[in-house]
Amino acid sequence: MLKSYTFWLSAAVLFQLLTAAIHCISFFVEPDLNNETERQIHTLITTYREDLGAGFAPTFSELFTALSACFPLLCLLGALTMGYLMFKHVEPGLMKGIIAINLGVFGVCLLVMLSLTFLLPITMTALIVFNLVLAYIFCPQSASSV
């Protein structure tokens, strides 16, 4: 079982779905503002609009929300793509290529997370990458190798 690439790939898909769901919770939580400085910063982040040209004047909060929505969407895209291909029982050579693409994307994502975020998204992304690495290692090159 632990030498089956489908086990590790299923774990990666599960962690991608779990990461997307956990990250979406942040869209429904209000920040806990403890002092006047935090209130001022929050007010500026949510109300100050900088004119960036071409009629585009977002708040920092709107930009942050847009970027923050991309991470769960990335996880969902990876999970649904690999889950669908597993469901269709595609040949291992094709699946190894898809795993490699996901490994490259989520590997870069992990590097970005390591430098710019905090422990929970780093841990969740590292679990995805770990499972993708094992799925790639155990995935045979062709269907005859299965």
Coordinates of all heavy atoms in Angstrom, one line a residue, residues 39-131:
R39 N -6.3 49.3 15.0 CA -7.5 49.9 14.4 C -7.2 50.9 13.3 O -7.8 50.9 12.2 CB -8.4 50.6 15.5 CG -9.1 49.6 16.3 CD -10.0 50.3 17.4 NE -10.4 49.4 18.5 CZ -9.6 49.1 19.5 NH1 -8.4 49.6 19.6 NH2 -10.0 48.3 20.4
Q40 N -6.2 51.7 13.5 CA -5.8 52.7 12.4 C -5.3 51.9 11.2 O -5.6 52.3 10.1 CB -4.7 53.6 13.0 CG -5.2 54.6 14.0 CD -4.0 55.4 14.5 OE1 -2.9 55.0 14.5 NE2 -4.4 56.6 15.1
I41 N -4.4 50.9 11.4 CA -3.9 50.2 10.3 C -5.0 49.5 9.5 O -5.1 49.5 8.3 CB -2.8 49.1 10.7 CG1 -1.6 49.9 11.2 CG2 -2.5 48.1 9.6 CD1 -0.6 49.0 11.9
H42 N -6.0 48.9 10.3 CA -7.1 48.2 9.6 C -7.9 49.2 8.8 O -8.4 48.9 7.7 CB -7.9 47.4 10.7 CG -9.0 46.6 10.1 ND1 -10.3 47.1 10.0 CD2 -9.0 45.4 9.6 CE1 -11.0 46.1 9.4 NE2 -10.2 45.1 9.1
T43 N -8.2 50.3 9.4 CA -9.0 51.3 8.7 C -8.3 51.8 7.4 O -8.9 51.9 6.3 CB -9.2 52.6 9.6 OG1 -9.9 52.2 10.7 CG2 -10.0 53.6 8.9
L44 N -7.0 52.0 7.4 CA -6.2 52.4 6.2 C -6.2 51.2 5.2 O -6.4 51.5 4.0 CB -4.8 52.7 6.6 CG -4.6 54.1 7.2 CD1 -3.2 54.3 7.7 CD2 -5.0 55.2 6.2
I45 N -6.0 50.0 5.6 CA -6.0 48.9 4.7 C -7.3 48.7 4.0 O -7.4 48.3 2.9 CB -5.6 47.6 5.5 CG1 -4.1 47.6 5.8 CG2 -5.9 46.3 4.7 CD1 -3.6 46.5 6.7
T46 N -8.4 48.9 4.7 CA -9.8 48.7 4.2 C -10.4 49.9 3.5 O -11.4 49.7 2.8 CB -10.7 48.2 5.2 OG1 -10.8 49.1 6.3 CG2 -10.3 46.8 5.8
T47 N -9.9 51.1 3.7 CA -10.5 52.3 3.1 C -9.7 53.1 2.2 O -10.2 53.7 1.3 CB -11.1 53.2 4.2 OG1 -10.0 53.7 5.0 CG2 -12.1 52.5 5.1
Y48 N -8.4 53.1 2.4 CA -7.5 53.9 1.5 C -7.4 53.4 0.1 O -7.1 52.2 0.0 CB -6.1 54.1 2.2 CG -5.2 54.9 1.3 CD1 -5.3 56.2 1.2 CD2 -4.2 54.2 0.5 CE1 -4.4 57.0 0.4 CE2 -3.3 55.0 -0.3 CZ -3.5 56.4 -0.3 OH -2.6 57.1 -1.1
R49 N -7.7 54.2 -0.9 CA -7.6 53.8 -2.3 C -6.5 54.5 -3.0 O -6.6 55.7 -3.0 CB -9.0 54.0 -2.9 CG -10.1 53.2 -2.4 CD -11.4 53.3 -3.2 NE -12.4 52.4 -2.6 CZ -12.5 51.1 -3.0 NH1 -11.6 50.6 -3.8 NH2 -13.4 50.4 -2.4
E50 N -5.6 53.8 -3.5 CA -4.5 54.4 -4.3 C -4.9 54.3 -5.8 O -5.2 53.2 -6.3 CB -3.2 53.7 -4.0 CG -2.1 54.4 -4.7 CD -0.7 53.9 -4.4 OE1 -0.6 53.0 -3.4 OE2 0.3 54.2 -5.0
D51 N -4.8 55.4 -6.5 CA -5.1 55.4 -8.0 C -3.9 54.7 -8.7 O -2.8 55.3 -8.7 CB -5.3 56.8 -8.4 CG -5.7 56.9 -9.9 OD1 -6.0 55.8 -10.5 OD2 -5.7 58.0 -10.5
L52 N -4.2 53.6 -9.3 CA -3.1 52.9 -10.0 C -3.3 53.0 -11.5 O -2.6 52.3 -12.3 CB -3.2 51.4 -9.6 CG -2.9 51.1 -8.1 CD1 -3.1 49.6 -7.8 CD2 -1.6 51.6 -7.7
G53 N -4.1 53.9 -11.9 CA -4.2 54.2 -13.3 C -5.3 53.4 -14.0 O -5.8 52.4 -13.5
A54 N -5.8 53.9 -15.1 CA -6.8 53.2 -15.9 C -8.1 53.0 -15.1 O -8.8 52.0 -15.3 CB -6.3 51.9 -16.5
G55 N -8.4 53.9 -14.2 CA -9.6 53.7 -13.4 C -9.6 52.7 -12.3 O -10.6 52.3 -11.7
F56 N -8.4 52.1 -12.1 CA -8.2 51.1 -11.1 C -7.7 51.7 -9.8 O -6.6 52.2 -9.7 CB -7.2 50.1 -11.6 CG -7.0 48.8 -10.8 CD1 -8.0 48.0 -10.5 CD2 -5.7 48.6 -10.2 CE1 -7.8 46.8 -9.8 CE2 -5.5 47.5 -9.4 CZ -6.6 46.6 -9.2
A57 N -8.5 51.6 -8.7 CA -8.2 52.2 -7.4 C -8.6 51.3 -6.3 O -9.5 51.6 -5.5 CB -8.8 53.6 -7.3
P58 N -7.9 50.1 -6.2 CA -8.3 49.2 -5.1 C -7.8 49.6 -3.7 O -6.8 50.3 -3.6 CB -7.7 47.9 -5.6 CG -6.4 48.3 -6.2 CD -6.8 49.6 -6.9
T59 N -8.4 49.0 -2.7 CA -7.8 49.1 -1.4 C -6.8 48.0 -1.3 O -6.8 47.0 -2.0 CB -8.8 49.0 -0.3 OG1 -9.4 47.7 -0.3 CG2 -9.9 50.0 -0.4
F60 N -5.9 48.1 -0.3 CA -4.9 47.0 0.0 C -5.7 45.7 0.3 O -5.3 44.6 0.0 CB -4.0 47.4 1.1 CG -3.0 46.3 1.4 CD1 -1.9 46.0 0.6 CD2 -3.2 45.5 2.5 CE1 -1.0 45.0 0.8 CE2 -2.3 44.4 2.8 CZ -1.2 44.2 2.0
S61 N -6.8 45.9 1.1 CA -7.6 44.7 1.5 C -8.2 44.0 0.3 O -8.2 42.8 0.2 CB -8.7 45.2 2.4 OG -9.6 44.1 2.8
E62 N -8.6 44.8 -0.7 CA -9.2 44.1 -1.9 C -8.1 43.4 -2.7 O -8.4 42.3 -3.2 CB -9.8 45.2 -2.8 CG -11.1 45.8 -2.2 CD -11.6 47.0 -2.9 OE1 -10.8 47.6 -3.7 OE2 -12.8 47.4 -2.7
L63 N -6.9 44.0 -2.8 CA -5.8 43.3 -3.5 C -5.4 42.0 -2.7 O -5.2 41.0 -3.3 CB -4.6 44.2 -3.6 CG -4.7 45.3 -4.6 CD1 -3.5 46.3 -4.4 CD2 -4.8 44.8 -6.0
F64 N -5.4 42.1 -1.4 CA -5.0 41.0 -0.6 C -6.1 39.9 -0.7 O -5.7 38.7 -0.8 CB -4.9 41.4 0.9 CG -4.4 40.3 1.8 CD1 -3.0 40.0 1.8 CD2 -5.3 39.6 2.6 CE1 -2.6 39.0 2.7 CE2 -4.8 38.6 3.5 CZ -3.5 38.3 3.5
T65 N -7.3 40.2 -0.7 CA -8.4 39.2 -0.8 C -8.3 38.5 -2.2 O -8.5 37.3 -2.3 CB -9.8 39.9 -0.7 OG1 -9.8 40.5 0.6 CG2 -10.9 38.9 -0.8
A66 N -8.1 39.3 -3.3 CA -7.9 38.7 -4.6 C -6.8 37.7 -4.6 O -6.9 36.6 -5.2 CB -7.7 39.8 -5.6
L67 N -5.6 38.1 -4.1 CA -4.5 37.2 -4.1 C -4.7 36.0 -3.1 O -4.4 34.9 -3.5 CB -3.2 37.9 -3.6 CG -2.7 38.9 -4.7 CD1 -1.5 39.7 -4.1 CD2 -2.2 38.2 -5.9
S68 N -5.4 36.2 -2.0 CA -5.7 35.2 -1.1 C -6.7 34.1 -1.7 O -6.6 33.0 -1.3 CB -6.3 35.8 0.2 OG -6.4 34.8 1.2
A69 N -7.5 34.6 -2.5 CA -8.5 33.6 -3.2 C -7.8 32.7 -4.1 O -8.3 31.6 -4.4 CB -9.6 34.4 -3.9
C70 N -6.6 33.1 -4.6 CA -5.9 32.3 -5.6 C -5.4 31.0 -5.0 O -5.3 30.0 -5.7 CB -4.8 33.1 -6.3 SG -5.4 34.4 -7.3
F71 N -4.9 31.0 -3.8 CA -4.3 29.8 -3.2 C -5.4 28.7 -3.1 O -5.1 27.6 -3.5 CB -3.7 30.2 -1.8 CG -3.0 29.0 -1.2 CD1 -2.0 28.3 -1.9 CD2 -3.3 28.6 0.1 CE1 -1.4 27.2 -1.3 CE2 -2.7 27.5 0.7 CZ -1.8 26.8 0.0
P72 N -6.5 28.9 -2.5 CA -7.5 27.8 -2.5 C -7.9 27.3 -3.9 O -8.2 26.2 -4.1 CB -8.7 28.3 -1.6 CG -8.5 29.7 -1.4 CD -7.1 30.0 -1.7
L73 N -8.0 28.3 -4.8 CA -8.3 27.9 -6.2 C -7.2 27.1 -6.8 O -7.5 26.1 -7.5 CB -8.6 29.2 -7.0 CG -9.9 29.9 -6.7 CD1 -10.0 31.2 -7.4 CD2 -11.1 29.0 -7.0
L74 N -6.0 27.4 -6.5 CA -4.9 26.6 -7.0 C -4.9 25.2 -6.4 O -4.8 24.2 -7.2 CB -3.5 27.2 -6.6 CG -2.3 26.4 -6.9 CD1 -2.0 26.3 -8.4 CD2 -1.1 27.0 -6.2
C75 N -5.2 25.1 -5.1 CA -5.3 23.7 -4.5 C -6.5 23.0 -5.1 O -6.4 21.8 -5.3 CB -5.5 23.9 -3.0 SG -4.0 24.5 -2.1
L76 N -7.6 23.6 -5.3 CA -8.8 23.0 -5.9 C -8.5 22.5 -7.3 O -8.9 21.4 -7.6 CB -10.0 23.9 -5.8 CG -11.3 23.4 -6.1 CD1 -11.7 22.3 -5.1 CD2 -12.4 24.5 -6.0
L77 N -7.9 23.3 -8.1 CA -7.5 22.9 -9.5 C -6.6 21.7 -9.5 O -6.9 20.7 -10.2 CB -6.8 24.1 -10.2 CG -6.4 23.7 -11.6 CD1 -7.6 23.5 -12.5 CD2 -5.5 24.9 -12.2
G78 N -5.6 21.7 -8.6 CA -4.7 20.5 -8.6 C -5.5 19.3 -8.1 O -5.3 18.2 -8.7
A79 N -6.3 19.4 -7.1 CA -7.0 18.3 -6.5 C -8.0 17.7 -7.5 O -8.1 16.5 -7.7 CB -7.7 18.7 -5.2
L80 N -8.8 18.6 -8.1 CA -9.8 18.1 -9.0 C -9.2 17.5 -10.3 O -9.7 16.5 -10.8 CB -10.8 19.2 -9.4 CG -11.6 19.7 -8.3 CD1 -12.5 20.9 -8.7 CD2 -12.5 18.6 -7.7
T81 N -8.1 18.1 -10.8 CA -7.4 17.5 -12.0 C -6.9 16.1 -11.7 O -7.1 15.2 -12.4 CB -6.3 18.4 -12.4 OG1 -6.9 19.7 -12.7 CG2 -5.6 17.9 -13.7
M82 N -6.1 16.0 -10.6 CA -5.5 14.7 -10.3 C -6.6 13.7 -9.9 O -6.5 12.5 -10.2 CB -4.4 14.8 -9.3 CG -3.2 15.5 -9.8 SD -1.8 15.5 -8.7 CE -2.4 16.4 -7.3
G83 N -7.6 14.1 -9.1 CA -8.7 13.2 -8.7 C -9.4 12.7 -9.9 O -9.7 11.5 -10.0
Y84 N -9.7 13.6 -10.9 CA -10.4 13.1 -12.1 C -9.6 12.1 -12.9 O -10.1 11.1 -13.4 CB -10.7 14.4 -13.0 CG -11.4 14.0 -14.3 CD1 -12.7 13.7 -14.3 CD2 -10.7 14.0 -15.5 CE1 -13.3 13.3 -15.5 CE2 -11.3 13.7 -16.7 CZ -12.6 13.3 -16.7 OH -13.2 13.0 -17.9
L85 N -8.3 12.4 -13.1 CA -7.4 11.5 -13.8 C -7.3 10.2 -13.1 O -7.2 9.1 -13.7 CB -6.1 12.1 -14.0 CG -6.1 13.3 -15.0 CD1 -4.7 14.0 -15.1 CD2 -6.6 12.9 -16.4
M86 N -7.3 10.2 -11.8 CA -7.2 8.9 -11.0 C -8.5 8.1 -11.2 O -8.5 6.9 -11.4 CB -7.0 9.2 -9.5 CG -5.6 9.5 -9.2 SD -5.3 10.0 -7.5 CE -6.2 8.8 -6.6
F87 N -9.6 8.9 -11.2 CA -11.0 8.3 -11.4 C -11.1 7.6 -12.8 O -11.7 6.6 -12.9 CB -12.1 9.3 -11.2 CG -13.4 8.8 -11.5 CD1 -14.1 8.1 -10.5 CD2 -14.1 9.2 -12.6 CE1 -15.4 7.6 -10.7 CE2 -15.4 8.7 -12.9 CZ -16.0 7.9 -11.9
K88 N -10.5 8.2 -13.8 CA -10.5 7.7 -15.1 C -9.4 6.7 -15.4 O -9.3 6.1 -16.5 CB -10.3 8.9 -16.2 CG -11.5 9.8 -16.2 CD -12.7 9.0 -16.8 CE -13.8 9.9 -17.1 NZ -15.0 9.2 -17.7
H89 N -8.6 6.4 -14.4 CA -7.5 5.3 -14.5 C -6.6 5.6 -15.7 O -6.4 4.6 -16.5 CB -8.1 3.9 -14.5 CG -9.0 3.6 -13.4 ND1 -8.5 3.4 -12.1 CD2 -10.3 3.5 -13.2 CE1 -9.5 3.2 -11.3 NE2 -10.6 3.2 -11.9
V90 N -6.1 6.8 -15.8 CA -5.2 7.1 -16.9 C -3.9 6.3 -16.7 O -3.6 5.9 -15.6 CB -4.9 8.6 -17.1 CG1 -6.2 9.3 -17.3 CG2 -4.2 9.1 -15.9
E91 N -3.2 6.1 -17.8 CA -2.0 5.3 -17.7 C -0.9 6.0 -16.8 O -0.8 7.2 -16.8 CB -1.4 4.9 -19.1 CG -1.1 6.1 -19.9 CD 0.4 6.2 -20.0 OE1 1.2 5.4 -19.5 OE2 0.8 7.2 -20.6
P92 N -0.1 5.2 -16.1 CA 0.9 5.8 -15.2 C 1.9 6.8 -15.8 O 2.3 7.8 -15.1 CB 1.6 4.6 -14.6 CG 0.7 3.5 -14.7 CD -0.1 3.8 -16.0
G93 N 2.3 6.6 -17.0 CA 3.2 7.5 -17.7 C 2.6 8.9 -17.8 O 3.3 9.9 -17.5
L94 N 1.3 9.0 -18.1 CA 0.7 10.3 -18.2 C 0.5 10.9 -16.8 O 0.7 12.1 -16.6 CB -0.7 10.2 -18.9 CG -1.6 11.4 -18.9 CD1 -1.0 12.5 -19.7 CD2 -3.0 11.1 -19.4
M95 N 0.1 10.1 -15.8 CA -0.1 10.5 -14.5 C 1.3 11.0 -13.9 O 1.3 12.0 -13.1 CB -0.7 9.4 -13.6 CG -1.1 9.9 -12.3 SD -2.3 11.3 -12.4 CE -3.8 10.4 -12.1
K96 N 2.4 10.4 -14.2 CA 3.7 10.8 -13.7 C 4.0 12.3 -14.2 O 4.5 13.1 -13.5 CB 4.8 9.9 -14.1 CG 6.1 10.2 -13.4 CD 7.0 9.0 -13.5 CE 8.2 9.2 -12.6 NZ 8.8 8.1 -12.0
G97 N 3.6 12.5 -15.5 CA 3.8 13.9 -16.0 C 2.9 14.9 -15.3 O 3.4 16.0 -14.9
I98 N 1.7 14.6 -15.0 CA 0.8 15.5 -14.3 C 1.3 15.7 -12.8 O 1.2 16.8 -12.3 CB -0.7 14.9 -14.3 CG1 -1.2 14.8 -15.7 CG2 -1.6 15.7 -13.4 CD1 -1.4 16.2 -16.4
I99 N 1.8 14.6 -12.2 CA 2.3 14.7 -10.9 C 3.5 15.7 -10.9 O 3.7 16.5 -10.0 CB 2.7 13.4 -10.3 CG1 1.4 12.5 -10.1 CG2 3.5 13.5 -9.0 CD1 1.7 11.1 -9.8
A100 N 4.4 15.5 -11.9 CA 5.6 16.4 -12.0 C 5.2 17.9 -12.2 O 5.8 18.8 -11.6 CB 6.4 16.0 -13.2
I101 N 4.1 18.1 -13.0 CA 3.7 19.5 -13.1 C 3.2 20.1 -11.8 O 3.5 21.2 -11.4 CB 2.6 19.6 -14.2 CG1 3.2 19.3 -15.6 CG2 1.9 20.9 -14.2 CD1 2.1 19.1 -16.7
N102 N 2.4 19.3 -11.1 CA 1.8 19.7 -9.8 C 3.0 19.9 -8.8 O 3.0 20.8 -8.0 CB 0.8 18.7 -9.3 CG -0.6 19.0 -9.8 OD1 -1.3 19.6 -9.1 ND2 -0.9 18.4 -10.9
L103 N 3.9 19.0 -8.9 CA 5.1 19.1 -7.9 C 5.9 20.4 -8.2 O 6.3 21.1 -7.3 CB 6.0 17.9 -8.1 CG 7.1 17.7 -7.1 CD1 6.6 17.7 -5.7 CD2 7.8 16.3 -7.4
G104 N 6.1 20.7 -9.5 CA 6.8 22.0 -9.8 C 6.0 23.2 -9.3 O 6.6 24.1 -8.6
V105 N 4.7 23.2 -9.5 CA 3.9 24.4 -9.1 C 3.8 24.5 -7.6 O 4.0 25.5 -7.0 CB 2.4 24.3 -9.8 CG1 1.5 25.3 -9.1 CG2 2.5 24.4 -11.3
F106 N 3.5 23.4 -6.9 CA 3.4 23.4 -5.5 C 4.7 23.5 -4.8 O 4.8 24.0 -3.7 CB 2.6 22.2 -5.0 CG 1.1 22.4 -5.2 CD1 0.5 21.9 -6.3 CD2 0.3 23.2 -4.3 CE1 -0.9 22.0 -6.5 CE2 -1.0 23.4 -4.5 CZ -1.6 22.8 -5.6
G107 N 5.8 23.1 -5.5 CA 7.1 23.3 -4.9 C 7.5 24.8 -4.9 O 8.0 25.3 -3.9
V108 N 7.2 25.5 -6.0 CA 7.5 26.9 -6.0 C 6.5 27.6 -5.0 O 7.0 28.5 -4.3 CB 7.2 27.5 -7.5 CG1 7.2 29.0 -7.5 CG2 8.3 26.9 -8.4
C109 N 5.3 27.2 -5.0 CA 4.4 27.7 -4.0 C 4.9 27.6 -2.6 O 4.8 28.5 -1.8 CB 3.0 27.0 -4.1 SG 1.7 27.7 -3.1
L110 N 5.5 26.4 -2.3 CA 6.1 26.2 -0.9 C 7.2 27.2 -0.7 O 7.3 27.7 0.4 CB 6.5 24.8 -0.8 CG 7.2 24.4 0.5 CD1 6.3 24.7 1.7 CD2 7.7 23.0 0.5
L111 N 8.1 27.4 -1.7 CA 9.2 28.3 -1.5 C 8.6 29.8 -1.2 O 9.2 30.5 -0.3 CB 10.1 28.4 -2.7 CG 10.8 27.1 -3.0 CD1 11.6 27.2 -4.3 CD2 11.8 26.8 -1.8
V112 N 7.6 30.2 -1.9 CA 7.0 31.5 -1.7 C 6.4 31.5 -0.3 O 6.6 32.5 0.5 CB 5.9 31.8 -2.7 CG1 5.1 33.0 -2.4 CG2 6.6 31.9 -4.1
M113 N 5.7 30.4 0.1 CA 5.1 30.4 1.4 C 6.1 30.4 2.5 O 5.9 31.1 3.5 CB 4.3 29.1 1.6 CG 3.1 28.9 0.7 SD 1.8 29.9 1.4 CE 0.5 29.5 0.2
L114 N 7.3 29.8 2.3 CA 8.3 29.8 3.3 C 8.9 31.2 3.6 O 9.2 31.5 4.7 CB 9.5 28.9 2.9 CG 9.3 27.4 3.1 CD1 10.3 26.6 2.3 CD2 9.2 27.0 4.5
S115 N 8.9 32.0 2.6 CA 9.4 33.3 2.8 C 8.4 34.4 3.1 O 8.8 35.5 3.6 CB 10.2 33.8 1.5 OG 9.3 33.9 0.4
L116 N 7.1 34.2 2.9 CA 6.1 35.2 3.0 C 5.0 35.0 4.0 O 4.2 35.9 4.2 CB 5.6 35.6 1.6 CG 6.6 36.2 0.6 CD1 5.9 36.4 -0.7 CD2 7.2 37.4 1.1
T117 N 4.8 33.7 4.4 CA 3.6 33.4 5.2 C 3.9 32.9 6.6 O 5.1 33.0 7.0 CB 2.6 32.5 4.5 OG1 3.3 31.2 4.3 CG2 2.2 33.0 3.1
F118 N 3.0 32.3 7.2 CA 3.1 31.8 8.6 C 3.0 30.2 8.6 O 2.8 29.6 7.5 CB 2.2 32.5 9.5 CG 0.8 32.5 9.1 CD1 -0.1 31.5 9.5 CD2 0.3 33.4 8.2 CE1 -1.4 31.5 9.1 CE2 -1.0 33.4 7.8 CZ -1.9 32.5 8.2
L119 N 3.1 29.7 9.7 CA 3.2 28.2 9.9 C 2.1 27.3 9.3 O 2.4 26.3 8.6 CB 3.4 27.9 11.4 CG 3.8 26.5 11.7 CD1 5.1 26.2 11.1 CD2 3.9 26.3 13.2
L120 N 0.9 27.7 9.4 CA -0.2 26.8 8.9 C -0.2 26.6 7.4 O -0.1 25.5 6.9 CB -1.6 27.3 9.4 CG -2.7 26.4 9.0 CD1 -2.6 25.0 9.6 CD2 -4.1 27.0 9.5
P121 N -0.1 27.7 6.6 CA -0.1 27.5 5.2 C 1.2 26.8 4.7 O 1.3 26.0 3.8 CB -0.3 28.8 4.5 CG -0.1 29.8 5.6 CD -0.3 29.1 6.9
I122 N 2.3 27.1 5.4 CA 3.6 26.4 5.1 C 3.5 24.9 5.4 O 3.9 24.1 4.5 CB 4.7 27.0 6.0 CG1 5.0 28.5 5.5 CG2 6.0 26.2 5.9 CD1 6.0 29.2 6.5
T123 N 2.9 24.6 6.5 CA 2.8 23.1 6.8 C 1.9 22.4 5.9 O 2.2 21.3 5.4 CB 2.2 23.0 8.3 OG1 3.1 23.7 9.2 CG2 2.1 21.5 8.7
M124 N 0.7 23.0 5.5 CA -0.2 22.4 4.6 C 0.4 22.2 3.2 O 0.2 21.2 2.6 CB -1.5 23.2 4.6 CG -2.3 23.3 5.9 SD -2.7 21.7 6.6 CE -4.1 21.2 5.5
T125 N 1.1 23.2 2.8 CA 1.7 23.2 1.4 C 2.9 22.1 1.4 O 3.0 21.4 0.5 CB 2.2 24.5 1.0 OG1 1.2 25.5 1.1 CG2 2.7 24.5 -0.4
A126 N 3.6 22.1 2.5 CA 4.7 21.1 2.7 C 4.1 19.7 2.6 O 4.7 18.8 2.0 CB 5.5 21.3 3.9
L127 N 3.0 19.4 3.3 CA 2.3 18.1 3.2 C 1.9 17.7 1.8 O 2.0 16.6 1.4 CB 1.1 18.1 4.2 CG 1.5 18.0 5.6 CD1 0.2 18.3 6.5 CD2 2.1 16.7 6.0
I128 N 1.4 18.7 1.1 CA 1.0 18.5 -0.3 C 2.3 18.1 -1.1 O 2.3 17.1 -1.9 CB 0.4 19.7 -1.0 CG1 -1.0 20.0 -0.3 CG2 0.2 19.6 -2.5 CD1 -1.6 21.3 -0.6
V129 N 3.4 18.9 -1.0 CA 4.6 18.6 -1.7 C 5.2 17.3 -1.3 O 5.6 16.5 -2.2 CB 5.6 19.8 -1.5 CG1 7.0 19.4 -2.1 CG2 5.1 21.0 -2.2
F130 N 5.2 16.9 -0.1 CA 5.7 15.7 0.4 C 5.0 14.5 -0.2 O 5.6 13.5 -0.7 CB 5.6 15.6 2.0 CG 6.0 14.3 2.5 CD1 7.3 13.9 2.7 CD2 5.0 13.4 3.0 CE1 7.7 12.7 3.2 CE2 5.3 12.2 3.5 CZ 6.7 11.8 3.6
N131 N 3.7 14.5 -0.3 CA 2.9 13.5 -0.8 C 3.1 13.4 -2.4 O 3.1 12.3 -2.9 CB 1.4 13.6 -0.5 CG 1.2 13.1 1.0 OD1 1.2 12.0 1.2 ND2 1.0 14.1 1.9

